[in-house]
């Protein structure tokens, strides 16, 4: 069984590290004394800005920027080989990159993009890095899913379905790899103040209780230390999940009412 994660002297990769929760996670890992944090993002300029800001405040200069598209298995495999070849074995992979393509049932392209990034991004990473961790008998693999993956976001079908799939994948990995010394965790936040929640319908969503990315990063690092699987930065999500399991009909009625309320408040948020 893997020990709890202690950042000192370790190598971590954070996908979607160029912004929002990933950026806060990179910063927090650097503050915890990580040897190297790879800020991996499709947006290389954003990753470079984050890495430079971390290195300015950290005398050991632990951050490096890396261009990566999590939706492309070859890009992920190349990133893993590059980091392990040039820096060292990856102790922690934070599979955090995600997208929200908009409200409603969505077009075929919304589904393709959502599944490619929000699900296959984690699958590509798991396939590339977990066998290496398992061979070493030690490693941590972290999935950023969403409360939408436990409770179903009524605004966006591709987002809700892809995040449900991400939670199921994380559970599968946790069950399958516990005996290999690889610990798996999964964070399911509600609203977090990032670039993703700028659109008005997301702002006016299920929760008015928005957190800052630094709050979420703190909870993630604590979960890695204790090897806890499910990270719920908004504690109410646990209660909602229990209500959903206990009485699905009643829960669906409540969600329908919440959707009606949102639709009346922001007509543009009505699902197509
Ligand atoms: N903000 C919220 O309210 C919230 C709530 C629950 C879950 N999440 C999840 O948190 C994660 C981070 O989102 P955020 O809120 O920080 O959003 P964000 O938009 O600020 O950051 C997402 C980052 O991922 C990168 N990215 C997108 N597609 C990529 C790809 N194919 N390959 C590599 N990088 C890619 C983007 O360039 C960006 O830097 C996502 O998985 C998101 O679904 C966010």
């Amino acid at each position: 069984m893997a020990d709890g994660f202690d950042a000192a002297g370790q190598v971590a990769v954070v996908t979607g590290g160029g912004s929002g929760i990933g950026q806060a996670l990179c910063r927090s890992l650097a503050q915890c004394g990580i040897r190297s944090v790879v800020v991996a993002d499709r947006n290389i300029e954003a990753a470079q800005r984050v890495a430079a800001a971390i290195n300015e405040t950290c005398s050991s200069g632990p951050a490096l920027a890396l261009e990566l598209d999590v939706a492309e298995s070859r890009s992920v495999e190349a990133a893993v080989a590059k980091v392990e070849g040039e820096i060292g074995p990856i102790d922690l992979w934070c599979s955090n990159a995600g997208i929200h393509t908009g409200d409603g049932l969505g077009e075929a392209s919304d589904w393709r993009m959502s599944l490619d990034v929000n699900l296959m991004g984690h699958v590509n990473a798991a396939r590339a890095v977990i066998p290496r961790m398992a061979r070493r008998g030690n490693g941590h693999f972290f999935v950023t899913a969403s409360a939408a993956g436990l409770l179903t976001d009524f605004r966006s079908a591709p987002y809700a379905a892809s995040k449900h799939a991400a939670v199921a994948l994380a559970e599968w990995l946790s069950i399958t790899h516990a005996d290999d010394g690889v610990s798996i965790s999964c964070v399911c936040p509600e609203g977090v103040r990032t670039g993703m929640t700028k659109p008005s319908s997301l702002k006016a969503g299920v929760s008015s209780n928005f957190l800052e990315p630094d709050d979420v990063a703190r909870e993630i690092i604590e979960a890695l230390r204790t090897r806890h699987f499910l990270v719920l930065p908004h504690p109410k999500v646990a209660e909602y999940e229990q209500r959903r399991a206990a009485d699905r009909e009643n829960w669906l009625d409540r969600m329908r009412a919440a959707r009606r309320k949102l639709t009346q408040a922001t007509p543009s948020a009505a699902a197509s």
Side-chain angles (χ1 to χ4, degrees), residues 4-269:
F5 182 75
D6 173 5
Q10 307 276 290
V11 174
V13 177
V14 179
T15 72
S19 156
I21 296 169
Q23 175 178 7
L25 200 46
C26 291
R27 219 169 26 222
S28 296
L29 288 166
Q31 285 160 0
C32 292
I34 199 102
R35 172 157 79 88
S36 204
V37 58
V38 178
V39 186
D41 206 291
R42 191 173 55 178
N43 181 343
I44 184 62
E45 287 84 15
Q48 283 164 341
R49 272 196 300 275
V50 171
I54 290 172
N55 291 336
E56 246 174 52
T57 54
C58 247
S59 54
S60 57
L64 288 108
L66 181 70
E67 189 168 4
L68 163 75
D69 184 347
V70 299
E72 296 291 333
S73 59
R74 269 182 288 191
S75 172
V76 178
E77 284 157 18
V80 169
K82 186 175 166 68
V83 173
E84 296 223 333
E86 295 177 12
I87 304 172
I90 296 167
D91 301 291
L92 167 66
W93 184 281
C94 296
S95 194
N96 167 78
I99 56 166
H100 192 289
T101 55
D103 293 347
L105 186 54
E107 304 293 331
S109 58
D110 298 319
W111 282 94
R112 254 193 317 275
M113 283 192 289
S114 298
L115 291 169
D116 280 354
V117 179
N118 295 348
L119 173 61
M120 293 310 295
H122 305 306
V123 175
N124 292 335
R127 294 180 70 177
V129 80
I130 289 182
R132 291 171 183 253
M133 291 175 170
R135 276 197 295 278
R136 297 192 283 267
N138 192 32
H140 299 263
F141 188 89
F142 187 86
V143 172
T144 305
S146 169
L150 296 172
L151 301 169
T152 304
D153 176 6
F154 54 74
R155 292 157 301 184
S156 169
Y159 191 75
S162 61
K163 290 296 185 177
H164 271 274
V167 173
L169 173 72
E171 288 178 344
W172 187 93
L173 292 171
S174 177
I175 294 162
T176 306
H177 289 290
D179 295 341
D180 300 333
V182 182
S183 91
I184 314 287
S185 300
C186 177
V187 67
C188 292
E190 283 195 302
V192 185
R193 231 179 297 278
T194 69
M196 185 176 284
T197 47
K198 271 195 187 133
S200 58
S201 73
L202 292 177
K203 253 191 216 149
V206 196
S207 169
S208 54
N209 182 22
F210 269 57
L211 294 179
E212 297 302 328
D214 283 335
D215 301 327
V216 177
R218 227 182 347 264
E219 299 250 358
I220 291 171
I221 288 182
E222 186 50 29
L224 289 168
R225 279 203 186 104
T226 56
R227 306 181 72 255
H228 201 76
F229 174 76
L230 187 61
V231 189
L232 298 177
H234 299 77
K236 280 263 177 200
V237 172
E239 188 188 316
Y240 298 151
E241 200 192 11
Q242 278 170 11
R243 283 196 210 152
R244 174 180 184 259
D247 187 344
R248 185 81 59 140
E249 298 305 321
N250 183 265
W251 175 80
L252 283 171
D253 272 343
R254 282 167 173 267
M255 292 296 273
R256 288 175 193 126
R259 180 185 169 274
R260 266 179 232 117
K261 203 169 147 197
L262 175 70
T263 307
Q264 280 155 13
T266 52
S268 63

